[in-house]
Amino acid sequence: MRWNKFTIKTRPEAEDIVIATLSEIGIEGVEIEDKLPLSEEDKKQMFVDILPDGPEDDGIAYLTFYLEEDADVATLLADVRRELEDLRMFLDIGEGTIAASQTEDKDWLNNWKEYFHQFYVDDILIVPSWEEIKEEDRDKLIIHIDPGTAFGTGMHETTQLCLRQLKKYVTGQTELLDVGTGSGILSIAALKLGAGHAVGTDLDPCAISAVRENLAANELPDGAMQVLLGNIIDDKKVQDAVGYEKYDIVAANILAEVLVPLTPVIVNHLKKGGIYITSGIIDDKETVVADAVKAAGLEVVEVTRQNDWVSVTAKKP
């Protein structure tokens, strides 16, 4: 199916009002493209493998919407142009021009699959759900992962650093807390390595369905892992639900800026002698995280590296 694609060139400051105006006309599902830097609040909520540097803000925003071929395009565009002109009377919307083109219907959530294929992290084989396992690999430790709309395939160095540390410390009695669980890959790896149970926390609701699907793909029961939605750093309800001094291992593959406020909270959830595995740390932030770990009363036991990324592993006395 072909769609009519329309892109409005405007300014970041006008994005919300233009989108609200489009909604009033009946146009929803607008794509936003701009170069605004992330706010501190945005960064706190990005429990991700990597936070890339963005381009410098150029003061331009592009708002794209799609209309079906059989829609009354002429009428809708006339309405959009009229509303944009009305907005100019009290708001700087920039150029306010509309570029038109056509695009084929796409399976947006599945297009990335052509770039994700099975691969090894040392002796762990990570396999997406749509690929077959080779006969010679069937005796390996295999993790089936389909991240869907949640983060975490295992391809990034930060995740691989965590996986290697989990291999060192997981036992048959391990109770794991996985902060920023995403696709659940770290918890699933721990369970496959013999851990008894895992609890994950995340800010993204997509993590709940992603983890459920990945548990099933790995033939692990739902009861093997629980996922809680919310920010463990400042949400007392999440902290209470997670439980105190009950975890043998806490894994947090996030960002240094998040690990700093997270670490003094995590101490309360670790058992005495428990292991705290952190990653997502670019090399020039290593000292910042190590200092936060020590300030929280933990002992740094190991620092591992892969390319420009660092994992700090600590122990609760």
Side-chain angles (χ1 to χ4, degrees):
M1 178 178 177
R2 294 181 68 82
W3 292 77
N4 295 296
K5 177 181 177 181
F6 301 97
T7 301
I8 301 172
K9 186 176 182 180
T10 183
R11 303 176 66 248
E13 295 83 358
E15 287 174 357
D16 291 343
I17 292 179
V18 173
I19 291 171
T21 300
L22 292 175
S23 179
E24 291 175 0
I25 297 172
I27 297 171
E28 298 182 352
V30 179
E31 294 178 1
I32 302 173
E33 180 183 353
D34 60 35
K35 296 176 183 176
L36 287 177
L38 292 173
S39 68
E40 289 305 312
E41 188 61 29
D42 291 332
K43 292 177 181 178
K44 289 179 183 178
Q45 297 188 40
M46 294 187 73
F47 284 19
V48 299
D49 284 341
I50 177 173
L51 182 62
D53 291 330
E56 186 175 345
D57 179 25
D58 57 6
I60 298 173
Y62 296 95
L63 305 179
T64 299
F65 60 92
Y66 299 84
L67 300 176
E68 295 182 19
E69 279 191 306
D70 58 358
D72 188 353
V73 173
T75 299
L76 282 170
L77 281 183
D79 291 342
V80 172
R81 289 191 174 98
R82 184 184 65 253
E83 293 295 336
L84 289 175
E85 288 305 311
D86 288 346
L87 287 177
R88 288 186 193 278
M89 297 174 64
F90 63 90
L91 178 69
D92 181 4
I93 65 169
E95 287 189 15
T97 54
I98 304 175
S101 61
Q102 284 193 319
T103 184
E104 293 288 345
D105 190 11
K106 295 181 179 180
D107 186 355
W108 301 104
L109 291 179
N110 291 320
N111 282 349
W112 56 271
K113 289 183 178 180
E114 63 182 286
Y115 304 106
F116 179 34
H117 303 287
Q118 56 187 277
F119 63 98
Y120 275 102
V121 178
D122 299 337
D123 58 348
I124 299 175
L125 179 61
I126 297 176
V127 183
S129 61
W130 55 90
E131 287 195 355
E132 293 292 328
I133 300 170
K134 298 174 184 177
E135 190 62 38
E136 60 268 28
D137 290 330
R138 293 190 178 278
D139 61 342
K140 302 291 194 304
L141 176 58
I142 297 170
I143 301 174
H144 297 273
I145 286 292
D146 183 356
T149 54
F151 290 107
T153 63
M155 296 184 73
H156 195 264
E157 291 97 325
T158 59
T159 311
Q160 295 180 20
L161 287 165
C162 281
L163 289 171
R164 293 189 181 101
Q165 294 306 95
L166 287 172
K167 282 179 61 181
K168 295 178 185 178
Y169 293 103
V170 167
T171 71
Q173 289 74 46
T174 293
E175 181 80 10
L176 173 75
L177 174 59
D178 181 6
V179 181
T181 191
S183 66
I185 184 170
L186 296 181
S187 292
I188 289 169
L191 292 167
K192 288 253 181 171
L193 288 165
H197 184 256
V199 173
T201 69
D202 207 289
L203 300 177
D204 186 353
C206 294
I208 295 176
S209 57
V211 167
R212 185 183 303 115
E213 292 166 4
N214 286 325
L215 285 172
N218 287 277
E219 299 182 347
L220 295 167
D222 279 345
M225 181 179 180
Q226 178 187 8
V227 181
L228 301 172
L229 196 61
N231 192 338
I232 194 171
I233 293 175
D234 56 14
D235 191 331
K236 185 66 162 53
K237 289 183 180 179
V238 175
Q239 295 170 3
D240 291 344
V242 163
Y244 300 96
E245 294 192 341
K246 63 178 291 187
Y247 295 95
D248 302 283
I249 298 175
V250 175
N253 179 24
I254 316 179
L255 297 170
E257 290 80 1
V258 180
L259 290 170
V260 170
L262 173 68
T263 298
V265 174
I266 286 306
V267 171
N268 301 316
H269 302 282
L270 272 170
K271 291 179 180 177
K272 291 181 179 178
I275 297 295
Y276 181 39
I277 300 170
T278 68
S279 191
I281 308 163
I282 196 71
D283 52 9
D284 63 3
K285 298 285 187 179
E286 175 186 336
T287 301
V288 173
V289 175
D291 287 347
V293 166
K294 295 172 186 175
L298 302 174
E299 174 192 355
V300 175
V301 295
E302 188 174 10
V303 177
T304 56
R305 298 175 176 84
Q306 186 174 343
N307 297 325
D308 296 330
W309 298 94
V310 177
S311 171
V312 176
T313 299
K315 185 175 183 179
K316 182 176 179 178

